[in-house]
Amino acid sequence: MLDVTITPHLEFLAADKPGQKLFVMLKLRPNRDVSASRPSTSFNFVIDTSGSMYDDTDLGKPKIDVVIDALNNLVRSHKADSRDRIALVQFDDSASILLPLTPATDTAAIQTAIDRLRDFSGGTCMAKGMQDALDLLQNCDLSSRRTLIFTDGETFDETDCRELAIQFAKAGIPITALGVGDYNEDLLVYLSDRTGGRVFNVVETANTAGTTDIAISELPNTIFQEVQQAQAEVINNLKLNLRTVKGVTLQRLSRVYPDRADIPLDTEPYLMGSALANDDTVFILEFDIDSRAGSRVRIAQLGLTYDVPGQQRRGELPPQNLVVQFVAGRGGVAQTNPEVMGYVQQCNIGQLVDRAASVAENDPDQAQKLLETAKRVTVKIGNDAMLQSLNLSIDEVRKTRKLSSGTRKTVKMGAKGKTVKMSDSPNEGLSEEQIRNLTGT
C-alpha cells in the first residue's frame, strides 16, 4: 500500500570517531491502487470573528467579508462532492459551531451558516474555536480530516492552543493556519508543525510579488487548494515508531517535501501527518552517533502505521533495520548521497531563517550573514519563491538594521512553504560540513 525507501546520506561512517552525524531520508509514496482511492473528507473551517476582522482591506471590504466571499466561492465551485463534509466554527471571546459536519452538496445550509459569520464580534480566544473543531472531527475515523484556521490577531489563550494542537496531532488531524495582520506567527507555525499541516502568511496587498506570501485576493484559490489537498491525502495519521541502540540519538525529524515541517520529538510514536497520492512525501531524520569500532552495526529500527481512508483500511510497515558500516582507517572518503543532502540543505534553510529572525533586533550584522547564507543555499537548490523572500529580508536588514514584523512573517512563513523536489544527480551546493558549521547542527 505504501512504498518506502530508507536512504542514509553516507555509504559508511568512520570508526572510532565520536560525535558523528547521520542524515537518513525516509521517502514514502502510496502505490497506484492507493493513489486511486479518493478518500472521503471532513473539513472544518475555524474563522476568527473578532472586532478587527471588520477592518477594511485594500479590496474595499472588511476581512470578514473577504473570508465569507471565499467560502461561498468554494461552495459554488463544486470542488467538494457527496464524499465530503464541511463544518464551520467561529471564535472571538467565545466560540460556537455554526455548522456541524454537513454534506458538501447541502449548499443552502452551508451558505446560511457562512452568512452568520457577520453576527459576531469581540476579542480573540482561538483555543475555544479549536476545541469545538476537535470535538467535531476526532471521532471521524478513516476519513481525510483537516482543520483550517483563519485569524488576524494574537489570541489571549496561546497556551491552550498549543496544548490542543497535541490533541489534534494524536487524532491525526492536520491544521492549516492562515494569518493576516498582527497575528503570532510562532504560534501558527507551531500549530502546523505539531499536526503535520501547513501555514500561510496572508497579506492585504501583493506588494511582495514572487514571494511565498498569499495576497488576500487569492484567499479563494488558497481555500480551494487546501480542500483539494485533503482530497488527495490518501494516506493519513502517519506514525513513526523508532528504537535506537545505546549511543545513538535522534536529534531532529523534519518533513522536507512537498513542504517543510519540523516534527516534535516529545511524543512517541512520532506524529508525521499525511502523504499525497501520486507523489513522494519525504522526511529527514538526523541522528547523533557516538564512537564505534570498525563493524557493521544496526543502529536503529523503525516502523510505520497509517490509515488508508479511501479503502477503509489501516496499514503497517513492519520494523526495518537501519544498518551502518563503520570503517577503520583513512582509506577513503565516504560518498555522500546528493538527493539526501539536497533535502538536508532545504531543511537547514529554515534553521538559518529562524536564527536570523531571532537575532535581528540585537545583532543585525549576524542576521544578515545568516540570511545571506540561506540565500546561497536557496540559489543552488533553485527555490525561486523562497529566494524572493530572502532578498526582501536581506535588503531590509541592510537598509534599516532590523526586520519589520511583516518581513519577518514573510521570510519565516516562507521557509515553511513548498520545497523543491530533489533528484540523485550531483549537487554542487554547500558541502555537508559547511552546512553543519553554518547552522550549528
Side-chain angles (χ1 to χ4, degrees):
M1 291 189 290
L2 185 63
D3 297 328
V4 180
T5 58
I6 302 170
T7 309
H9 85 289
L10 286 172
E11 296 175 345
F12 59 84
L13 295 178
D16 303 314
K17 180 180 179 181
Q20 297 189 81
K21 290 281 187 183
L22 183 69
F23 301 101
V24 176
M25 178 179 68
L26 178 62
K27 183 188 293 186
L28 314 178
R29 190 180 186 96
N31 65 24
R32 184 177 302 178
D33 183 45
V34 170
S35 289
S37 62
R38 151 73 152 94
S40 63
T41 68
S42 301
F43 207 107
N44 199 327
F45 295 95
V46 180
I47 307 300
D48 186 345
T49 57
S50 61
S52 56
M53 286 290 288
Y54 291 86
D55 294 341
D56 279 343
T57 68
D58 289 345
L59 298 178
K61 61 178 70 174
K63 284 173 275 189
I64 191 67
D65 284 350
V66 175
V67 173
I68 287 171
D69 290 347
L71 293 174
N72 279 326
N73 284 341
L74 171 66
V75 175
R76 291 190 293 266
S77 72
H78 304 294
K79 297 289 185 182
D81 58 30
S82 59
R83 293 169 290 185
D84 307 306
R85 294 185 298 169
I86 291 174
L88 180 62
V89 172
Q90 65 78 216
F91 69 90
D92 41 57
D93 292 318
S94 59
S96 60
I97 298 171
L98 302 184
L99 182 77
L101 283 168
T102 300
T105 50
D106 191 351
T107 57
I110 296 171
Q111 288 182 322
T112 297
I114 292 170
D115 290 340
R116 289 185 59 201
L117 287 168
R118 293 188 182 91
D119 296 342
F120 302 90
S121 181
T124 306
C125 293
M126 188 162 67
K128 295 180 179 180
M130 290 177 61
Q131 182 65 66
D132 281 348
L134 181 62
D135 291 343
L136 285 169
L137 293 179
Q138 63 182 346
N139 294 320
C140 301
D141 291 338
L142 292 176
S143 173
S144 181
R145 297 170 292 174
R146 182 171 289 268
T147 289
L148 183 148
I149 299 175
F150 185 94
T151 184
D152 78 331
E154 295 199 19
T155 185
F156 290 104
D157 49 9
E158 178 178 346
T159 300
D160 293 338
C161 291
R162 290 175 179 267
E163 291 175 354
L164 279 167
I166 299 172
Q167 301 306 312
F168 273 81
K170 289 180 178 178
I173 306 170
I175 292 175
T176 293
L178 295 95
V180 60
D182 296 325
Y183 65 90
N184 180 346
E185 71 270 19
D186 289 334
L187 173 60
L188 296 198
V189 167
Y190 178 87
L191 298 183
S192 63
D193 277 357
R194 168 61 78 169
T195 62
R198 304 210 290 170
V199 64
F200 295 93
N201 181 43
V202 182
V203 295
E204 290 194 22
T205 305
N207 56 4
T208 51
T211 69
T212 53
D213 290 340
I214 302 296
I216 199 165
S217 60
E218 288 297 307
L219 190 58
N221 288 335
T222 303
I223 290 176
F224 290 160
Q225 291 165 6
E226 288 305 295
V227 170
Q228 290 173 325
Q229 171 116 351
Q231 293 169 345
E233 287 175 346
V234 294
I235 296 287
N236 56 37
N237 203 22
L238 275 163
K239 296 178 180 178
L240 173 67
N241 295 282
L242 180 72
R243 295 290 180 267
T244 57
V245 301
K246 184 177 179 180
V248 176
T249 305
L250 179 66
Q251 289 292 337
R252 183 170 56 163
L253 171 60
S254 302
R255 186 180 68 217
V256 290
Y257 181 83
D259 47 28
R260 197 175 73 82
D262 295 314
I263 310 299
L265 300 181
D266 58 356
T267 301
E268 295 185 49
Y270 303 121
L271 310 171
M272 300 171 64
S274 306
L276 294 170
N278 301 309
D279 200 1
D280 298 326
T281 300
V282 184
F283 299 86
I284 291 291
L285 293 80
E286 177 186 327
F287 293 96
D288 279 349
I289 302 177
D290 65 2
S291 180
R292 302 273 167 157
S295 60
R296 184 174 174 82
V297 181
R298 184 188 74 178
I299 65 166
Q301 189 176 71
L302 58 87
L304 289 169
T305 59
Y306 53 90
D307 294 344
V308 188
Q311 297 183 352
Q312 295 292 290
R313 301 170 62 186
R314 289 189 165 89
E316 179 182 15
L317 174 73
Q320 306 289 305
N321 291 328
L322 179 59
V323 178
V324 174
Q325 181 74 46
F326 291 86
V327 178
R330 306 178 63 88
V333 177
Q335 178 68 43
T336 60
N337 183 292
E339 182 182 11
V340 179
M341 288 310 301
Y343 286 122
V344 171
Q345 289 179 2
Q346 294 194 71
C347 189
N348 285 332
I349 289 170
Q351 282 196 312
L352 290 163
V353 166
D354 288 345
R355 287 178 59 201
S358 67
V359 305
E361 184 174 352
N362 297 320
D363 193 347
D365 290 331
Q366 177 66 5
Q368 183 176 334
K369 178 181 177 182
L370 291 165
L371 292 168
E372 292 280 6
T373 302
K375 177 181 175 179
R376 291 199 301 274
V377 181
T378 302
V379 168
K380 293 292 186 181
I381 291 169
N383 190 334
D384 292 337
M386 188 63 206
L387 179 60
Q388 293 300 317
S389 298
L390 288 167
N391 282 335
L392 177 72
S393 59
I394 291 168
D395 187 57
E396 183 172 286
V397 171
R398 184 184 298 117
K399 290 179 178 178
T400 68
R401 310 294 292 164
K402 63 180 182 179
L403 275 179
S404 66
S405 173
T407 301
R408 188 183 68 244
K409 287 180 171 67
T410 291
V411 70
K412 287 182 68 175
M413 306 286 261
K416 295 290 184 179
K418 283 188 175 295
T419 49
V420 176
K421 193 170 190 177
M422 307 306 298
S423 69
D424 56 2
S425 59
N427 187 312
E428 296 180 354
L430 298 177
S431 71
E432 173 199 351
E433 192 64 28
Q434 287 174 310
I435 291 291
R436 288 175 55 193
N437 289 339
L438 290 165
T439 60
T441 59

